[in-house]
Coordinates of all heavy atoms in Angstrom, one line a residue:
V984 N 1.9 -4.7 0.1 CA 1.3 -3.9 -1.1 C -0.2 -3.4 -0.7 O -0.5 -2.3 -0.8 CB 1.3 -4.6 -2.4 CG1 0.5 -3.8 -3.4 CG2 2.7 -4.7 -2.8
D985 N -1.0 -4.4 -0.3 CA -2.3 -4.0 0.1 C -2.4 -3.0 1.3 O -3.1 -2.0 1.2 CB -3.1 -5.3 0.4 CG -3.2 -6.3 -0.7 OD1 -3.1 -5.8 -1.9 OD2 -3.2 -7.5 -0.5
K986 N -1.7 -3.3 2.3 CA -1.6 -2.3 3.4 C -1.1 -1.0 3.0 O -1.5 0.1 3.4 CB -0.8 -2.9 4.6 CG -0.7 -2.0 5.8 CD 0.2 -2.7 6.8 CE 0.4 -1.6 8.0 NZ 1.3 -2.2 9.1
F987 N 0.0 -1.0 2.1 CA 0.6 0.2 1.6 C -0.5 1.2 0.9 O -0.6 2.4 1.3 CB 1.7 -0.1 0.7 CG 2.0 0.9 -0.2 CD1 2.9 1.9 0.2 CD2 1.6 1.0 -1.6 CE1 3.3 3.0 -0.7 CE2 2.0 2.0 -2.4 CZ 2.8 3.0 -2.0
Q988 N -1.3 0.5 0.2 CA -2.3 1.4 -0.6 C -3.2 2.0 0.4 O -3.6 3.2 0.2 CB -3.0 0.5 -1.6 CG -2.2 0.1 -2.7 CD -2.9 -0.7 -3.8 OE1 -4.1 -1.0 -3.6 NE2 -2.2 -1.1 -4.9
A989 N -3.7 1.3 1.5 CA -4.5 1.9 2.4 C -3.9 3.0 3.2 O -4.4 4.0 3.5 CB -4.9 0.8 3.3
T990 N -2.5 2.8 3.5 CA -1.7 3.8 4.2 C -1.6 5.1 3.3 O -1.8 6.2 3.9 CB -0.3 3.3 4.4 OG1 -0.4 2.0 5.2 CG2 0.7 4.2 5.0
V991 N -1.5 5.0 2.1 CA -1.4 6.2 1.2 C -2.7 6.9 1.2 O -2.7 8.2 1.3 CB -0.9 5.8 -0.2 CG1 -1.0 7.1 -1.1 CG2 0.6 5.4 -0.2
S992 N -3.8 6.2 1.0 CA -5.1 6.8 0.9 C -5.4 7.5 2.3 O -6.0 8.7 2.3 CB -6.1 5.7 0.7 OG -6.0 5.2 -0.5
E993 N -5.1 6.9 3.5 CA -5.3 7.6 4.8 C -4.4 8.8 4.9 O -4.9 9.9 5.4 CB -5.0 6.6 5.9 CG -5.9 5.4 6.0 CD -5.4 4.4 6.9 OE1 -4.4 4.5 7.5 OE2 -6.1 3.2 7.0
W994 N -3.3 8.8 4.4 CA -2.3 9.9 4.5 C -2.9 11.1 3.6 O -2.9 12.3 4.1 CB -0.9 9.6 4.0 CG 0.0 10.7 3.9 CD1 0.6 11.3 5.0 CD2 0.4 11.5 2.8 NE1 1.4 12.4 4.5 CE2 1.3 12.5 3.2 CE3 0.0 11.3 1.4 CZ2 1.8 13.4 2.3 CZ3 0.7 12.2 0.5 CH2 1.5 13.2 1.0
V995 N -3.3 10.8 2.5 CA -4.0 11.9 1.6 C -5.2 12.5 2.2 O -5.1 13.7 2.3 CB -4.3 11.3 0.2 CG1 -5.1 12.3 -0.6 CG2 -3.1 10.9 -0.6
N996 N -6.0 11.8 2.7 CA -7.2 12.3 3.4 C -6.9 13.1 4.6 O -7.6 14.1 5.0 CB -8.2 11.2 3.6 CG -9.0 10.8 2.4 OD1 -9.7 11.5 1.8 ND2 -8.6 9.6 1.9
A997 N -5.9 12.7 5.3 CA -5.5 13.4 6.5 C -4.8 14.7 6.2 O -4.8 15.7 7.0 CB -4.5 12.6 7.4
Q998 N -4.2 14.9 5.0 CA -3.5 16.1 4.6 C -4.4 17.2 4.1 O -4.2 18.4 4.3 CB -2.6 15.8 3.5 CG -1.4 14.9 3.9 CD -0.4 15.6 4.8 OE1 0.0 16.7 4.6 NE2 -0.1 14.9 6.0
V999 N -5.5 16.8 3.5 CA -6.4 17.9 2.7 C -7.2 18.7 3.7 O -7.6 18.2 4.8 CB -7.3 17.2 1.7 CG1 -6.4 16.5 0.6 CG2 -8.3 16.3 2.3
T1000 N -7.4 19.9 3.4 CA -8.1 20.9 4.1 C -9.5 20.6 4.1 O -10.0 20.1 3.0 CB -7.9 22.3 3.4 OG1 -6.5 22.6 3.4 CG2 -8.6 23.4 4.2
P1001 N -10.4 20.8 5.2 CA -11.8 20.7 5.1 C -12.4 21.5 3.9 O -11.9 22.7 3.6 CB -12.3 21.2 6.5 CG -11.1 21.0 7.4 CD -9.9 21.2 6.5
G1002 N -13.3 20.9 3.2 CA -13.8 21.6 2.1 C -13.2 21.1 0.8 O -13.7 21.4 -0.3
I1003 N -12.2 20.3 0.9 CA -11.6 19.6 -0.3 C -11.9 18.2 -0.2 O -11.7 17.5 0.8 CB -10.0 19.8 -0.3 CG1 -9.7 21.2 -0.5 CG2 -9.5 18.9 -1.4 CD1 -9.9 21.8 -2.0
R1004 N -12.5 17.6 -1.3 CA -12.7 16.1 -1.3 C -11.6 15.5 -2.1 O -11.3 15.9 -3.3 CB -14.1 15.9 -2.0 CG -14.5 14.4 -2.1 CD -15.9 14.3 -2.5 NE -16.2 14.9 -3.8 CZ -16.0 14.4 -5.0 NH1 -15.5 13.2 -5.1 NH2 -16.2 15.1 -6.1
A1005 N -11.0 14.5 -1.5 CA -9.9 13.7 -2.2 C -10.3 12.3 -2.7 O -11.0 11.6 -1.9 CB -8.8 13.6 -1.2
E1006 N -10.0 12.0 -3.8 CA -10.2 10.6 -4.4 C -8.8 10.1 -4.8 O -8.0 10.7 -5.4 CB -11.0 10.7 -5.6 CG -12.5 11.1 -5.4 CD -13.2 11.3 -6.7 OE1 -12.6 11.2 -7.7 OE2 -14.5 11.4 -6.6
V1007 N -8.5 8.8 -4.2 CA -7.2 8.2 -4.6 C -7.5 7.0 -5.4 O -8.2 6.0 -4.8 CB -6.4 7.9 -3.3 CG1 -5.2 7.3 -3.6 CG2 -6.3 9.1 -2.4
E1008 N -7.1 6.8 -6.5 CA -7.3 5.8 -7.4 C -5.9 4.9 -7.7 O -5.1 5.6 -8.4 CB -8.0 6.1 -8.6 CG -8.3 4.9 -9.6 CD -8.8 5.3 -10.9 OE1 -9.0 6.5 -11.2 OE2 -9.1 4.4 -11.8
F1009 N -5.9 3.7 -7.2 CA -4.7 2.9 -7.5 C -4.9 2.1 -8.8 O -6.0 1.7 -9.0 CB -4.3 2.0 -6.4 CG -3.5 2.8 -5.4 CD1 -4.0 3.3 -4.2 CD2 -2.1 2.7 -5.4 CE1 -3.3 4.0 -3.3 CE2 -1.3 3.3 -4.5 CZ -1.9 4.0 -3.4
R1010 N -3.9 1.9 -9.6 CA -4.1 1.0 -10.8 C -3.3 -0.3 -10.7 O -2.6 -0.6 -11.6 CB -3.6 1.9 -12.0 CG -4.7 2.8 -12.5 CD -4.2 3.7 -13.6 NE -3.3 4.7 -13.0 CZ -3.8 5.9 -12.5 NH1 -5.1 6.1 -12.5 NH2 -3.0 6.8 -12.0
G1011 N -3.5 -1.0 -9.6 CA -2.9 -2.2 -9.4 C -1.4 -2.1 -8.9 O -0.9 -1.0 -8.8
A1012 N -0.8 -3.1 -8.6 CA 0.6 -3.0 -8.1 C 1.4 -4.3 -8.5 O 0.8 -5.4 -8.6 CB 0.6 -2.9 -6.6
T1013 N 2.7 -4.2 -8.5 CA 3.6 -5.3 -8.7 C 4.5 -5.5 -7.4 O 5.0 -4.4 -7.0 CB 4.5 -5.0 -10.0 OG1 3.7 -4.9 -11.1 CG2 5.5 -6.3 -10.1
R1014 N 4.5 -6.6 -6.9 CA 5.2 -6.8 -5.6 C 6.7 -6.9 -6.0 O 7.2 -7.4 -7.0 CB 4.7 -8.1 -5.0 CG 3.1 -8.1 -4.6 CD 2.7 -9.3 -4.0 NE 1.2 -9.3 -3.7 CZ 0.6 -8.7 -2.8 NH1 1.3 -8.1 -1.8 NH2 -0.7 -8.8 -2.8
P1015 N 7.5 -6.5 -4.9 CA 8.9 -6.7 -5.0 C 9.4 -8.1 -4.8 O 8.5 -9.0 -4.3 CB 9.4 -5.8 -3.9 CG 8.3 -5.8 -2.9 CD 7.0 -5.9 -3.6

């Protein structure tokens, strides 16, 4: 779960165009 959240944040920032600032806010997680 912890690694997953970092993975999503990295993906979002890699996707956005220069000139766009991205903020990713997680609200906790429940493990499987």
Side-chain angles (χ1 to χ4, degrees):
V984 172
D985 297 329
K986 180 182 176 184
F987 159 80
Q988 294 184 353
T990 297
V991 172
S992 296
E993 290 169 6
W994 176 77
V995 169
N996 283 289
Q998 291 293 312
V999 297
T1000 301
I1003 296 289
R1004 178 172 58 85
E1006 297 176 346
V1007 184
E1008 180 185 0
F1009 278 91
R1010 277 173 285 276
T1013 298
R1014 299 179 188 276

